[in-house]
Amino acid sequence: MPTISVDKYDLFEALGQKYTTQEFEDLCFEFGIELDDDTENEERPIVDGVQEPPQLKIEIPANRYDMLCFEGIALMLNIFRGKQPTPNFRLTQPADGNLHTITVLEDTSKVRPLVAGAILRNVKFAKKNYESFIGLQDKLHQNLARQRTLVAIGTHDLDTIKGPFTYEARPPQEISFVPLNQTKKMNGEELMAFYEKDRHLGRFLNIIRDKPVYPVIYDANRVVCSLPPIINGDHSKITLDSKNVFIECTATDQTKLEIVLNMMVTMFSVYAAEPFTVEPIKVISDHNGQTRITPNLSARTQTVEVDYLNGCLGLSESAENLSKLLTKMAVTAQPSSEDPQALIEVTIPPTRADILQRCDIMEDVGIAYGFNRLPRMSVTKTVGAPLSLNKLADIVRLECAMAGWSEGMSLILCSHDENFAWLNRRDDGQTAVRLANPKTAEYQIVRTSLLPGLLKTIRENKGRSVPVRLFETSDVVVKDGAAERRARNERRWAAVWYGKTSGFEEVHGLLDRVMAMLRQAFVTHEEGLAPGPGKDVDFDVKAVPTRRDGYWLEPVDDEPTFFPGRAAAVHVRLGGKERRIGEFGILHPSVLDNFDLKYPASTLELNLEVFL
């Protein structure tokens, strides 16, 4: 969760009350945030000859974008304490009645198709709120905007540029301007080379570097306002003397775009000459039907049942009392006109983008009521239970551990060679799920066997004494055309014995022990198992109701992973249906060489899902 540092005494002044550290920590706990640190009694850095004032470091929930700055924290805590009502954010028309416009050209769909904007009029900046303004942009870029990949924010001094604006996509050689805080004019290619090693901006270059065109915003005089998502132009940079602020956001995600713009304007409209007012901008985007007025500060309305709120929290409050509690959380609520006793109508302002469903409203009621005051509730109402597959896997894990085997947990991704060539297996192209764009050769496919991970684990622990007895119970993934996503998970159990002897009998003994705990008897030839000579290994499920359930072994000579004549297939009969579920045997010497293992090893791998 993000941690926000605010000036301790500035915040107390905004709250209208001084707190001890413990009192403020209690207030934060009541509101659902956490005081991480109070630096007053710590050694603080000295900047420009002045010691940094005491800071409160507050941990904010990741979905509370409205509290990523000083202004948001002060506003929400004041509303929670009943010191001020929820602001009425509204749009105001410009003095001449003509909205500024941003015209979107069709080529922008090749790189960043969406744009929105707004204007804050007659803003009064001081050093602290200016730094908070810039800090909120950075926090939104890091958090909701996913390092500018989804949304990029540009802020400009409106008095230095002239509308109407255009949002275009042009080849990098044709874009030329002086970047923010620079003196030399550069085109798009020169800018990429200039900022390539920049610690702050260098990490964002890859977002558009390889695109045939770069997004750019021009004013009416063809002055470059910004090259999103990299940098603004120096011509329109914000200063402490700026009065009218033009905010533009470009994006690839419509929902994130609206939230980011709303957060920027709602948090800092408090500094406008007329607080909580925003001048809208008209976005003209006829080619994709996105022409609209931005920002959209209209409130959302949601109806929630009184019984649901009371039932989840163990309360018996009336609709009126629940509505009063919700007003402490910066929303407006009242009993519904449809059914005042059973329903509550909740009006959600643009600042509360984290409220998506009725469970979010229920959480706000719990915070406002006080979690420490909620009545204790019986946990017998839960319907939670272990999944049968996990319960089965736990039985196998416990038996292996009690038999003296150590558990390993390997990564589900591996290289193609490790999964196939190193095990002397052939890829038929119909089994393994490949990654479309793997970052490294080590993670190319999703494993279809647990053996590569176990053998690599032993390889990395060759310095330990032998024998090594290792097992794993986990999922593999195989292609399945009948599945909804054309692939499915399959729970497997695998074990490896590695030592100076092959350990074939050890692996066989572990198999027998686990099968006994799964209540599967060993079937002999005398009990109805009589394979004919030269019988092929059969993977098909067959119903043979006249024979009793159990498991048996059949030799396999066509499995190149194992030493010839030292491997067996494990078959089971469950409910009269026969099925091959796995193999075990001594690894072939070439497999040992591939994994850089110098001692012999025996392995076992079974499909556990057949026992469900």
Side-chain angles (χ1 to χ4, degrees):
M1 294 190 292
T3 299
I4 311 301
S5 295
V6 297
D7 186 297
K8 178 177 180 177
Y9 292 106
D10 283 351
L11 181 61
F12 288 172
E13 182 180 351
L15 297 178
Q17 181 178 344
K18 290 185 177 181
Y19 293 88
T20 65
T21 300
Q22 184 60 50
E23 288 172 343
F24 187 73
E25 186 174 1
D26 292 342
L27 174 63
C28 289
F29 177 80
E30 291 174 8
F31 188 66
I33 58 180
E34 183 177 352
L35 178 62
D36 195 47
D37 191 18
D38 181 350
T39 66
E40 181 160 24
N41 296 322
E42 300 176 5
E43 185 175 344
R44 303 189 299 278
I46 297 176
V47 180
D48 298 330
V50 179
Q51 188 176 36
E52 179 186 70
Q55 301 287 304
L56 295 174
K57 298 181 179 180
I58 305 173
E59 198 171 86
I60 304 296
N63 62 345
R64 289 303 299 267
Y65 316 118
D66 55 326
M67 298 184 69
L68 292 175
C69 60
F70 171 92
E71 291 73 13
I73 293 173
L75 175 64
M76 295 303 154
L77 288 179
N78 274 330
I79 295 173
F80 180 71
R81 296 159 59 242
K83 299 298 183 181
Q84 75 175 87
T86 301
N88 178 26
F89 300 102
R90 66 187 191 279
L91 301 178
T92 59
Q93 296 297 313
D96 60 3
N98 297 319
L99 294 179
H100 279 284
T101 62
I102 302 177
T103 302
V104 184
L105 301 191
E106 188 172 357
D107 281 349
T108 56
S109 59
K110 299 177 182 177
V111 54
R112 293 177 80 83
L114 304 173
V115 68
I119 295 172
L120 296 178
R121 290 286 185 182
N122 299 314
V123 175
K124 296 178 182 178
F125 275 127
K127 184 176 184 297
K128 289 185 177 180
N129 63 15
Y130 173 82
E131 291 174 349
S132 181
F133 183 67
I134 302 301
L136 177 59
Q137 293 182 58
D138 290 339
K139 287 291 192 297
L140 288 171
H141 278 152
Q142 295 168 19
N143 186 354
L144 182 61
R146 295 294 186 269
Q147 301 295 334
R148 305 192 188 185
T149 56
L150 300 181
V151 186
I153 309 166
T155 55
H156 312 274
D157 187 335
L158 184 61
D159 296 327
T160 64
I161 49 181
K162 181 181 179 182
F165 304 94
T166 58
Y167 178 44
E168 308 177 17
R170 304 182 66 83
Q173 304 89 342
E174 298 180 11
I175 302 171
S176 181
F177 68 106
V178 179
L180 184 65
N181 297 327
Q182 301 297 325
T183 57
K184 178 184 175 182
K185 181 177 285 190
M186 308 177 194
N187 65 29
E189 292 180 341
E190 293 170 339
L191 184 141
M192 289 292 171
F194 181 80
Y195 286 108
E196 189 169 13
K197 296 183 180 179
D198 187 279
R199 295 181 60 185
H200 176 57
L201 295 177
R203 54 187 167 152
F204 306 125
L205 300 183
N206 67 298
I207 301 175
I208 63 170
R209 187 205 299 270
D210 298 327
K211 303 290 184 181
V213 290
Y214 291 177
V216 59
I217 295 179
Y218 290 102
D219 78 345
N221 297 323
R222 303 301 290 175
V223 173
V224 173
C225 299
S226 67
L227 180 74
I230 309 302
I231 196 167
N232 295 341
D234 190 69
H235 180 85
S236 58
K237 69 179 179 182
I238 299 284
T239 67
L240 292 178
D241 297 325
S242 299
K243 298 297 181 185
N244 300 307
V245 179
F246 168 46
I247 302 174
E248 44 84 4
C249 298
T250 60
T252 58
D253 184 291
Q254 180 71 43
T255 301
K256 303 294 190 299
L257 173 66
E258 294 178 359
I259 295 174
V260 166
L261 182 60
N262 285 349
M263 292 305 131
M264 289 296 300
V265 298
T266 54
M267 291 301 101
F268 287 91
S269 59
V270 66
Y271 297 117
E274 188 177 355
F276 308 120
T277 60
V278 180
E279 181 179 316
I281 282 180
K282 184 176 182 180
V283 177
I284 302 174
S285 184
D286 294 333
H287 68 277
N288 58 3
Q290 287 286 328
T291 298
R292 65 199 188 282
I293 303 297
T294 64
N296 179 12
L297 298 182
S298 59
R300 295 174 287 129
T301 301
Q302 188 166 340
T303 301
V304 62
E305 301 84 355
V306 172
D307 288 346
Y308 170 78
L309 299 177
N310 283 329
C312 290
L313 299 171
L315 302 177
S316 56
E317 298 291 328
S318 65
E320 291 80 2
N321 288 342
L322 292 173
S323 299
K324 291 178 182 178
L325 290 173
L326 284 169
T327 59
K328 298 173 63 177
M329 303 305 296
V331 298
T332 304
Q334 60 183 9
S336 173
S337 57
E338 296 179 9
D339 190 342
Q341 302 300 320
L343 299 175
I344 295 176
E345 191 174 276
V346 182
T347 303
I348 305 165
T351 52
R352 294 301 308 274
D354 59 299
I355 297 179
L356 303 176
Q357 300 177 357
R358 62 177 186 170
C359 59
D360 300 310
I361 298 173
M362 177 270 294
E363 180 185 13
D364 276 359
V365 172
I367 294 172
Y369 186 86
F371 282 137
N372 284 339
R373 296 177 54 216
L374 291 175
R376 292 185 177 273
M377 300 175 65
S378 172
V379 297
T380 57
K381 294 182 180 180
T382 182
V383 294
L387 290 174
S388 56
L389 181 60
N390 291 337
K391 193 172 182 179
L392 171 64
D394 287 343
I395 293 173
V396 175
R397 293 171 59 221
L398 179 62
E399 288 304 317
C400 291
M402 293 176 64
W405 292 63
S406 300
E407 184 174 14
M409 296 183 67
S410 57
L411 298 176
I412 198 169
L413 298 180
C414 64
S415 75
H416 183 273
D417 285 347
E418 290 170 351
N419 196 78
F420 291 105
W422 288 15
L423 293 175
N424 293 339
R425 294 174 179 173
R426 184 178 59 87
D427 182 8
D428 60 5
Q430 304 299 318
T431 305
V433 176
R434 289 176 175 266
L435 274 65
N437 184 26
K439 293 294 184 183
T440 67
E442 192 177 1
Y443 307 120
Q444 295 174 319
I445 66 171
V446 187
R447 66 186 178 190
T448 61
S449 170
L450 298 179
L451 296 184
L454 291 175
L455 295 175
K456 286 194 296 182
T457 301
I458 294 175
R459 181 188 66 194
E460 299 304 320
N461 291 272
K462 288 189 298 184
R464 296 183 177 273
S465 61
V466 292
V468 175
R469 294 178 291 185
L470 194 64
F471 78 93
E472 181 174 3
T473 305
S474 192
D475 283 1
V476 300
V477 176
V478 294
K479 289 183 179 179
D480 185 350
E484 179 183 1
R485 302 193 181 277
R486 302 295 183 267
R488 59 180 171 82
N489 284 29
E490 187 176 281
R491 186 65 55 88
R492 297 269 185 93
W493 165 52
V496 178
W497 170 283
Y498 174 73
K500 295 182 178 180
T501 61
S502 66
F504 182 85
E505 68 283 356
E506 298 285 348
V507 171
H508 193 173
L510 181 65
L511 170 66
D512 290 341
R513 175 58 185 167
V514 170
M515 285 297 191
M517 294 307 300
L518 294 176
R519 307 201 188 288
Q520 300 299 315
F522 185 74
V523 179
T524 65
H525 293 294
E526 291 75 13
E527 294 173 302
L529 181 63
K535 179 181 177 182
D536 293 333
V537 176
D538 193 347
F539 285 86
D540 295 333
V541 177
K542 296 181 178 179
V544 189
T546 59
R547 300 176 183 174
R548 79 182 186 92
D549 289 352
Y551 76 100
W552 68 93
L553 308 178
E554 293 186 7
V556 292
D557 296 320
D558 59 348
E559 182 59 64
T561 301
F562 302 110
F563 196 87
R566 295 293 185 271
V570 182
H571 293 253
V572 296
R573 187 186 299 119
L574 298 171
K577 295 181 179 181
E578 297 177 2
R579 184 172 182 177
R580 174 174 166 177
I581 62 171
E583 308 83 25
F584 74 99
I586 303 173
L587 288 180
H588 196 281
S590 63
V591 175
L592 298 175
D593 289 340
N594 290 335
F595 286 95
D596 194 22
L597 301 177
K598 63 180 181 179
Y599 293 128
S602 292
T603 65
L604 160 70
E605 185 168 17
L606 298 184
N607 176 9
L608 290 179
E609 296 188 5
V610 298
F611 298 106
L612 292 177

